[in-house]
């Protein structure tokens, strides 16, 4: 592949997939049609990233704040999760992709929890890219749950509070084992983190594109990677 020779492909990419609603509005369609198109983009981008040699792709599918949307929109998104769980499973199998979910899955209806468990279980031995789906995910909520789990281990005598390191704390996060994103992409031009991977993005390079998520494609991805390649990463050093 021509672009692979020229570009340095980041190992870990995270994406805030924004703009589904605006994509639909521009066409006079209901918001859920935007989410439906957005799901098609997710499917395609998983395959593109796996082929480009990305090791970890993390996407923000549903935030802890998204429950505040209308009942109609939330139930539409649940329907999409149901439908796409099956498609994702066969795509993941075809592409040797391992699927993981981060976020608090306990709030989802039981059939969706079962589908997520199945996706993780049946792809766990795949050795290619890891696709991480953030669902009912919030960075603060993740840190809160990690702090609770750590405190409980301290109480049980398994940890020493005064010896807590960043590495140990990271191991209590949902993303345990997933390297911090090298590149964080946000679509649709907004300049916010929106509670996504707050701990993990400490040194991620952020690239914002005006493209709305349903219109995102491999060419846009490659231009984001090109922008990333132009950055000098110093991790706080000089
Ligand atoms: C942001 O667009 C998008 C979301 C809140 C949901 C994103 C979800 C998907 C693309 C579906 C993912 C599904 C699977 C199975 C991985 P917005 O609605 O905030 O857009 P707006 O800012 O233009 O209103």
């Amino acid at each position: 592949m021509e672009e692979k020779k020229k570009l340095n492909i980041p190992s870990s990419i995270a994406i805030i997939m924004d703009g589904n609603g605006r994509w639909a509005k521009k066409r006079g369609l209901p918001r859920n049609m935007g989410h439906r198109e957005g799901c098609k983009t997710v499917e395609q981008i998983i395959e593109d990233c796996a082929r480009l040699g990305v090791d970890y792709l993390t996407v923000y599918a549903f935030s802890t704040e998204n429950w505040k949307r209308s009942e109609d929109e939330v139930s539409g998104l649940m329907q999409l999760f149901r439908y796409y769980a099956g498609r994702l499973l066969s795509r993941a199998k075809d592409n040797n992709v391992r699927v993981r979910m981060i976020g608090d899955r306990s709030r989802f209806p039981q059939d969706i929890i079962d589908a997520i468990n199945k996706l993780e279980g049946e792809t766990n031995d795949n050795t290619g890219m890891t696709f991480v789906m953030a669902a009912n995910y919030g960075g603060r909520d993740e840190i809160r749950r990690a702090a609770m789990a750590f405190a409980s281990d301290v109480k049980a005598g398994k940890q020493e509070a005064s010896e807590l390191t960043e590495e140990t704390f990271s191991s209590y996060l949902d993303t345990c084992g997933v390297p911090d994103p090298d590149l964080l992409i946000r679509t649709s031009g907004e300049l916010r983190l929106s509670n996504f991977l707050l701990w993990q993005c400490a040194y991620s390079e952020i690239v914002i594109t005006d493209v709305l998520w349903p219109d995102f494609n491999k060419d846009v991805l490659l231009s984001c990677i090109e922008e990333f390649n132009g950055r000098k990463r110093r991790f706080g050093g000089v």
Side-chain angles (χ1 to χ4, degrees):
M1 220 180 276
E2 183 64 16
E3 66 267 8
K4 204 180 167 187
K5 276 186 230 148
K6 286 183 283 180
L7 289 177
N8 171 20
I9 305 295
S11 168
S12 182
I13 297 182
I15 308 182
I16 301 176
M17 312 181 289
D18 196 12
N20 295 346
R22 274 162 284 172
W23 183 94
K25 194 173 174 202
K26 263 176 41 183
R27 289 161 178 78
L29 297 168
R31 293 178 58 82
N32 278 327
M33 289 299 284
H35 296 316
R36 208 164 97 177
E37 283 304 306
C39 282
K40 293 184 193 166
T41 307
V42 174
E43 246 187 287
Q44 187 56 51
I45 288 300
I46 292 173
E47 203 166 299
D48 292 335
C49 283
R51 294 205 172 140
L52 282 169
V54 173
D55 299 310
Y56 295 87
L57 171 68
T58 306
V59 302
Y60 206 3
F62 193 87
S63 77
T64 45
E65 288 71 37
N66 285 154
W67 298 104
K68 290 187 243 166
R69 295 190 175 198
S70 74
E71 215 179 302
D72 185 49
E73 186 168 348
V74 171
S75 72
L77 278 163
M78 294 304 135
Q79 272 309 102
L80 281 172
F81 284 143
R82 285 187 180 94
Y83 175 67
Y84 270 91
R87 287 186 67 94
L88 276 181
L89 184 57
S90 70
R91 283 300 184 112
K93 285 180 172 171
D94 290 348
N95 291 286
N96 192 26
V97 166
R98 189 157 53 126
V99 181
R100 252 181 82 174
M101 205 212 103
I102 57 170
D104 181 3
R105 70 189 69 181
S106 67
R107 193 167 165 188
F108 287 115
Q110 190 56 46
D111 66 311
I112 293 186
I113 297 176
D114 293 343
I116 293 166
N117 290 340
K118 186 171 166 181
L119 258 171
E120 288 182 331
E122 292 194 16
T123 63
N124 196 36
D125 292 334
N126 288 351
T127 54
M129 185 180 82
T130 299
F131 172 62
V132 184
M133 194 166 69
N136 191 27
Y137 175 89
R140 287 185 175 181
D141 183 62
E142 179 191 34
I143 292 168
R144 179 190 65 82
R145 287 185 286 102
M148 279 170 64
F150 177 74
S152 145
D153 279 355
V154 170
K155 205 170 167 192
K158 293 186 208 157
Q159 293 282 3
E160 194 64 57
S162 59
E163 283 168 19
L164 178 62
T165 61
E166 291 185 6
E167 205 182 3
T168 300
F169 191 71
S170 292
S171 74
Y172 281 84
L173 295 170
D174 296 347
T175 48
C176 175
V178 177
D180 292 345
D182 301 298
L183 167 63
L184 171 68
I185 298 170
R186 181 165 187 148
T187 60
S188 92
E190 307 285 352
L191 307 174
R192 283 190 292 277
L193 277 180
S194 298
N195 205 10
F196 189 45
L197 301 176
L198 297 181
W199 172 281
Q200 298 85 344
C201 284
Y203 287 104
S204 305
E205 292 296 329
I206 303 176
V207 172
I208 309 287
T209 167
D210 285 336
V211 172
L212 305 177
W213 178 250
D215 293 327
F216 192 87
N217 57 28
K218 189 176 170 189
D219 286 340
V220 185
L221 172 69
L222 291 173
S223 71
C224 293
I225 293 177
E226 210 175 323
E227 190 172 332
F228 167 81
N229 282 176
R231 304 275 177 89
K232 278 204 168 60
R233 302 187 77 192
R234 292 193 299 269
F235 299 94
V238 284

